Amino acid sequence: MGDVLIEICVDSPQGLRDAVAGGADRIELCSALALGGLTPTPGLLALARDCPVPVRAMIRPREGDFHYDEAEKATMLRDIDAAREAGLSGVVIGALTVDGGLDIPLLEALVARAEGLDVTLHRAVDLLRDPATTVDIAARLGIATILTSGGASIASEGLDTIAEMRERAGDRVEILAGSGVRAVNVAALVARTGVRAVHASCSMPRHAWPKSVEMGFETALARTTDRAEVAALRAALQRAPAAPAPGAIPPDPATTLMHSEAGEAPAVVARLLDRNRATIERIVTRLRDQPPPFIVTCARGSSDHAATYGKYLFETKIGIPVASAALSIASVFDTPMRAEGALCLAISQSGRSPDLLASATAYKDAGAFVVALVNDEESPLAALAHEVLPLCAGPERSVAATKSYIASLAAQAGLAAAWAGDDGLTNRLAELPSTMAQAFALDWSSALPPLLGARNLFVLGRGYGFGVAQEAALKFKETCGLHAEAFSAAEVRHGPMAIVGRGFPLLGFATSDTSGDDVRAAAVQFAERGAVALLADATAGGRLPAIAADPVLEPVLMVQSFYRFVNALAVARGINPDAPPHLKKVTETR
């Protein structure tokens, strides 16, 4: 029995996650299982796109009988198109004539529309006088699977018919035994009928709110998929426990690597400040003796967003202009630089991307003083730099960088504070790890509902908070599949604001200084236009809680809170933030 396929029917995002985690081999995706299963919603279809096992969508436009009028038939055809566009592997169909026979013309049309998809003929066949007659019809039509209880209300009462159908089908059609299938009876069912595939809901009663039942909003018979029941069914079939599938959606946001690694950031910052104290003093001595005419940063992705933070930091604290290097000038165009005496800050988690290395080398050859902020101390970047500030983040296994980004912010803040002789900032930096732990515990769950179904949003910041806004926009894209753009609260008032209207979401990071005032004003302005303004405000005026501190450090605290939130949002949207589609941990570009 170790090779019997397990199909689980689900009707919710949580059911989808629990079925996969319990060990389902295939999913039948529905809505309203309490009504026998109806066509799933577009949102649920989209969530199922990245499911690690095959998913077939129920095509049933309403409850009740399986005789459909012309409008319903057209709806079914369009629903098949929607399942195909969502990237699902198949559909589940069924149709009867008014006198109770199979509606062959409609089935032919549905199968033709589903060309290239796997097709299941559902339990409408159990309403026929002899369900076994459907086997030859299904084979002729090109239907891959017949779901049946053998014409009985539950499969255990239709064993003889299921066995007959299995024998008739041979290798032409998969006979999927379903209805009332549980861990306690599945082994006997398989042994008696010879089926190689079973279908179950593996559900448990769901608590229903009496008032909601009374008002007709839910049924007291509602049930929900239970992961343990799926696992028990698998064990009863002598199947090994399911291993986590690559990219599988975690059942609990707190179990992801991203959550764990972001939670390590306070300890990382404490370690970084302690270890780099002497190196920072040595770098500052050099910079005071030989003041650089300008600072150039070399970075990509999250590290480049950290460099944006550094731009505001060094320009306000030191008064030296900071520019971000276009890495392709060295790696693609091979143009010599003029950078005698400049400070080059090269920021990277891995320190191995060819374009970053080419750019840092070009600036070094041009006479710049190269300081590497890098997590991998054995990297080529660390080897070529004049000085290295290790980020001390340790291994980072989630694709989404978190603790290494925060370490990059803290390292620059430590360098700027020492260079400027700002003892107050240096002291507040020492207190930062404990405050970060508080920030990680803040509850941003009120932002989940507006963003669960969002497709676009703006992320606003200004001054020290702008680099964090850039980082947040990237994380929305890579972990949540959500198109987000970061703007300065000033820049957004030019062309971009034209697309902000009723219901458009935006997230703002407002520090307690004057630059934060502009973010607060923009949030108010957009809210007046009907936008959904989600504001993390260090002056306690926003929808999302934030901790007031030195304005230089408030963005560090806000992004610490944000990481926990965006991890939870990714899971809620049906994406594993540790392994988002099409991405890998280290990206090497030229």
Side-chain angles (χ1 to χ4, degrees), residues 374-589:
V374 63
N375 196 36
D376 184 351
E377 298 176 54
E378 303 300 320
S379 65
L381 178 62
L384 73 84
H386 294 102
E387 292 281 2
V388 177
L389 290 175
L391 297 179
C392 304
E396 200 167 40
R397 293 179 293 158
S398 177
V399 167
T402 52
K403 57 182 178 176
S404 61
Y405 172 78
I406 288 178
S408 300
L409 304 185
Q412 292 180 95
L415 178 59
W419 191 359
D422 189 338
D423 293 337
L425 178 56
T426 298
N427 293 335
R428 287 186 287 276
L429 260 173
E431 300 169 357
L432 183 62
S434 61
T435 315
M436 287 172 61
Q438 299 173 37
F440 195 62
L442 293 179
D443 182 8
W444 282 25
S445 60
S446 64
L448 283 172
L451 298 181
L452 275 176
R455 300 180 65 183
N456 302 282
L457 82 155
F458 286 169
V459 187
L460 307 184
R462 197 165 189 189
Y464 303 123
F466 183 46
V468 167
Q470 292 177 315
E471 169 66 2
L474 174 64
K475 287 298 182 284
F476 278 127
K477 286 191 278 272
E478 68 181 358
T479 68
C480 300
L482 176 53
H483 177 234
E485 289 192 75
F487 290 102
S488 155
E491 184 67 28
V492 76
R493 290 186 173 93
H494 292 268
M497 73 181 297
I499 68 171
V500 177
R502 181 165 301 279
F504 191 95
L506 61 91
L507 172 64
F509 295 94
T511 49
S512 60
D513 58 1
T514 54
S515 68
D517 291 341
D518 203 37
V519 178
R520 284 181 280 275
V524 170
Q525 180 181 358
F526 290 140
E528 289 173 348
R529 297 170 59 176
V532 180
L534 306 168
L535 187 64
D537 185 359
T539 67
R543 182 168 173 176
L544 306 176
I547 296 174
D550 189 310
V552 170
L553 303 180
E554 286 167 352
V556 181
L557 301 173
M558 290 178 185
V559 79
Q560 177 77 344
S561 302
F562 169 79
Y563 281 149
R564 179 171 182 165
F565 161 72
V566 77
N567 171 77
L569 177 63
V571 173
R573 286 171 66 97
I575 299 175
N576 182 351
D578 295 332
H582 317 304
L583 297 179
K584 58 182 181 178
K585 181 60 183 172
V586 177
T587 301
E588 296 186 355
T589 50

Side-chain angles (χ1 to χ4, degrees), residues 102 104 107-108 111 121 125 128 130-146 164-175:
L102 280 180
I104 303 298
L107 290 177
E108 288 177 334
V111 171
L121 181 59
V125 302
L128 302 177
D130 183 5
T133 61
T134 62
V135 171
D136 292 335
I137 297 172
R140 177 174 61 80
L141 293 177
I143 291 172
T145 302
I146 299 175
E164 180 185 352
M165 294 175 72
R166 172 71 181 92
E167 185 176 354
R168 281 196 188 190
D171 295 329
R172 297 181 299 159
V173 179
E174 175 188 65
I175 302 302

